[in-house]
Amino acid sequence: MRVNLRQLAEAAVNDPAEPLLAAAGDLSDYEVFHNLVLVATYVPPPKVMKGPNGENVVFHEADNTQAENRYQGKVGLVLKVGPTAFQDDSVAKFGGMSIKAGDWVVYRPSDGFEMFIRDRRKFNEGLSCRLVEDVFVRGRVTDPSLIY
């Protein structure tokens, strides 16, 4: 079973990183090899607008739309970075660029290997993550809602 996308999205209203980090839990059981980066898939929060009387009205996306955000999401929160990620070699030159856990990065979904991780110490249903090679990380953003 996986983390409920609706609950994850609703928890992201104030801080989009917090629910992803909470769902990932203790990552000490996970070791990322080589030049890979483990990213948690960003699921946008519901839209909030002012109603006719000034009250907040929350617009939830349909379950299918939230699932598409999982499948086609182009932004993720870096959870772990492999030991040789973003190190220059004979093929890739990074020009001093690097990333760290907590950064929001942009990637093409098909460039990553999707998997679900969970913290065995506190049963959760699994968080949608991708392993992405460093050369397929296309950029970094300060706010994941900037990318669609």
Side-chain angles (χ1 to χ4, degrees), residues 1-111:
M1 297 183 69
R2 294 178 278 289
V3 171
N4 182 297
L5 292 176
R6 182 171 306 284
Q7 291 172 343
L8 195 61
E10 288 173 355
V13 170
N14 296 321
D15 177 8
E18 193 280 323
L20 295 175
L21 293 171
D26 180 9
L27 294 172
S28 62
D29 290 329
Y30 296 93
E31 183 179 1
V32 178
F33 292 166
H34 312 295
N35 65 335
L36 296 173
V37 179
L38 178 65
V39 296
T41 307
Y42 170 67
V43 178
K47 306 223 183 317
V48 179
M49 301 177 80
K50 292 289 183 192
N53 298 325
E55 75 282 4
N56 285 340
V57 178
V58 179
F59 292 92
H60 297 278
E61 293 180 332
D63 290 343
N64 287 345
T65 303
Q66 287 186 328
E68 284 302 313
N69 285 327
R70 187 192 111 205
Y71 302 134
Q72 297 184 36
K74 298 167 186 65
V75 177
L77 180 68
V78 175
L79 299 176
K80 286 201 157 194
V81 180
T84 60
F86 292 92
Q87 292 182 8
D88 291 349
D89 59 25
S90 62
V91 176
K93 305 292 183 210
F94 296 100
M97 297 299 298
S98 67
I99 59 173
K100 64 186 180 319
D103 286 347
W104 291 102
V105 294
V106 179
Y107 55 89
R108 185 171 61 180
S110 62
D111 287 339

Side-chain angles (χ1 to χ4, degrees), residues 72-148:
Q72 297 184 36
K74 298 167 186 65
V75 177
L77 180 68
V78 175
L79 299 176
K80 286 201 157 194
V81 180
T84 60
F86 292 92
Q87 292 182 8
D88 291 349
D89 59 25
S90 62
V91 176
K93 305 292 183 210
F94 296 100
M97 297 299 298
S98 67
I99 59 173
K100 64 186 180 319
D103 286 347
W104 291 102
V105 294
V106 179
Y107 55 89
R108 185 171 61 180
S110 62
D111 287 339
F113 171 73
E114 186 182 36
M115 61 185 187
F116 293 87
I117 62 170
R118 68 180 187 94
D119 181 352
R120 67 182 166 91
R121 290 166 193 80
K122 58 165 192 170
F123 179 77
N124 69 19
E125 298 174 335
L127 175 65
S128 172
C129 294
R130 283 189 170 86
L131 279 172
V132 182
E133 286 188 51
D134 56 2
V135 294
F136 295 126
V137 173
R138 308 296 185 190
R140 178 180 20 228
V141 293
T142 57
D143 179 357
S145 67
L146 297 174
I147 304 296
Y148 177 73

